[in-house]
Amino acid sequence: MTDYIGRFAPSPTGPLHFGSLIAAVASFLDARAHGGYWLLRIEDLDPPREIAGSAEQIISSLQAHGLLWDGTVWRQSERSAAYQNALAKLQRTGLSYRCDCSRAKLAGNDGIYPGFCRSRDLQVLDNCATRVVVDTDALGFEDVIQGPQSQSLAGEVGDFIVRRRDGLFAYQLAVVVDDAGQGVNHVIRGADLLGSTPRQIYLQHCLGLPTPVYGHIPLATNKLGQKLSKQNLAQGLDNDAALGNLLAAMQFLGQELPVQSFTSPAQLLEWATGRWRRQLIPRQGALSCNQS
Ligand code: GLU
């Protein structure tokens, strides 16, 4: 084993579908090909969006596909104390503030927060979100799959939310706290999160946490060109077709395909680990504004 620690971090908002399988396969093969660990974290941060039973469904689908993780499964629903500590640190260092702007007030700003509440010093917590103050420097990083990226948080995102007005912690905060908490140093995930990465790197700087290596795989889309997601009713995977599903995922990721047939997913994954090449993954294009 090397010191590589990767992870797969699904939200339990539906069963594992082809779009999430390719993220699981890419992060798994990248970790294993580097002799690393591959961790599993269930991102059950948002109870209203959760579908009962889907965490267990995702877990059994991963098992059926031979995608076996190391260590115990983390669940974000058990991590509130760690998120609260991070939030307190942002508050102590003057990097966050409360905001009571309504949706209506924010309409028409292209999703970029104009800083209305920055200097209001609101003290109430109820019905207020907490935002982090961003700076005006361009934030650049090297994506190991998509190449160099850059985003101006001030110009393209604005002060962003770390705790929602309904009291739930925001994904951006939780993911950074948990990646650091689990010692994750390689994040391979879908390109829908490419636009979130500068926010996450910024939070790492604010909180004094290390920045992992990031790589974003292209998104699988349906016939209409829409991202495969639970919102677009992407179908859950048939666990009895695991070998075929894995081959389709490898093909999508541009990897070499075997001529011989395999009898188990674990055998196929072992073969694929030995031939994994990041350079073969198709590129999606550089970061553009306002991706979430
Ligand atoms: N939980 C997120 C999702 O299912 C992924 C988060 C991440 O990989 O950083 O879309």
Side-chain angles (χ1 to χ4, degrees):
M1 287 274 179
T2 60
D3 60 359
Y4 182 121
I5 302 181
R7 50 73 157 179
F8 177 54
S11 304
T13 50
L16 197 72
H17 55 77
F18 186 68
S20 36
L21 179 72
I22 55 176
V25 168
S27 57
F28 176 92
L29 291 178
D30 201 69
R32 295 299 190 229
H34 288 88
Y37 294 94
W38 187 67
L39 311 181
L40 177 61
R41 181 169 74 235
I42 300 292
E43 300 212 317
D44 51 355
L45 194 64
D46 190 349
R49 281 189 57 224
E50 205 170 305
I51 307 249
S54 58
E56 272 41 58
Q57 239 181 331
I58 291 171
I59 287 175
S60 55
S61 253
L62 289 172
Q63 287 166 328
H65 286 78
L67 294 161
L68 303 181
W69 55 92
D70 298 301
T72 54
V73 181
W74 276 37
R75 289 175 195 264
Q76 290 194 322
S77 54
E78 296 164 0
R79 299 268 306 146
S80 299
Y83 309 145
Q84 190 53 53
N85 278 342
L87 199 64
K89 183 161 185 183
L90 293 175
Q91 267 151 10
R92 259 197 328 272
T93 46
L95 285 168
S96 67
Y97 61 88
R98 307 231 163 93
C99 163
D100 64 359
C101 291
S102 63
R103 230 173 256 253
K105 186 163 181 189
L106 296 180
N109 292 298
D110 289 333
I112 303 166
Y113 184 66
F116 292 133
C117 293
R118 228 189 212 212
S119 48
R120 287 181 64 211
D121 198 22
L122 285 171
Q123 293 302 320
V124 273
L125 195 58
D126 279 356
N127 219 19
C128 274
T130 304
R131 290 182 184 271
V132 66
V133 177
V134 299
D135 62 28
T136 49
D137 300 341
L139 205 154
F141 71 99
E142 180 69 29
D143 186 292
V144 291
I145 298 166
Q146 304 298 335
Q149 308 291 322
S150 171
Q151 189 182 57
S152 155
L153 287 177
E156 298 173 44
V157 180
D159 296 342
F160 60 91
I161 291 181
V162 283
R163 180 183 172 274
R164 295 168 15 177
R165 61 192 298 158
D166 59 9
L168 295 178
F169 294 100
Y171 156 70
Q172 307 292 356
L173 181 77
V175 76
V176 158
V177 170
D178 286 343
D179 280 338
Q182 289 187 288
V184 169
N185 50 25
H186 286 76
V187 173
I188 304 294
R189 60 183 177 189
D192 52 331
L193 294 165
L194 189 55
S196 284
T197 304
R199 270 171 277 181
Q200 295 174 15
I201 294 174
Y202 181 73
L203 278 178
Q204 286 149 4
H205 295 169
C206 294
L207 293 165
L209 300 173
T211 292
V213 169
Y214 286 99
H216 292 83
I217 58 166
L219 285 189
T221 53
N222 63 19
K223 286 191 190 112
L224 299 172
Q226 299 162 323
K227 175 195 161 190
L228 281 190
S229 68
K230 292 119 193 178
Q231 289 78 3
N232 292 326
L233 304 177
Q235 281 194 350
L237 292 170
D238 175 1
N239 290 340
D240 294 332
L243 277 167
N245 295 336
L246 288 171
L247 286 168
M250 286 161 56
Q251 182 169 33
F252 181 89
L253 292 165
Q255 303 300 302
E256 184 186 336
L257 295 177
V259 283
Q260 72 273 45
S261 49
F262 291 95
T263 49
S264 77
Q267 247 181 13
L268 171 59
L269 287 171
E270 199 183 320
W271 182 90
T273 297
R275 284 156 188 82
W276 174 250
R277 284 179 64 204
R278 264 187 204 158
Q279 313 84 275
L280 295 178
I281 302 173
R283 290 195 169 200
Q284 169 104 5
L287 198 53
S288 62
C289 305
N290 290 330
Q291 295 176 355
S292 58

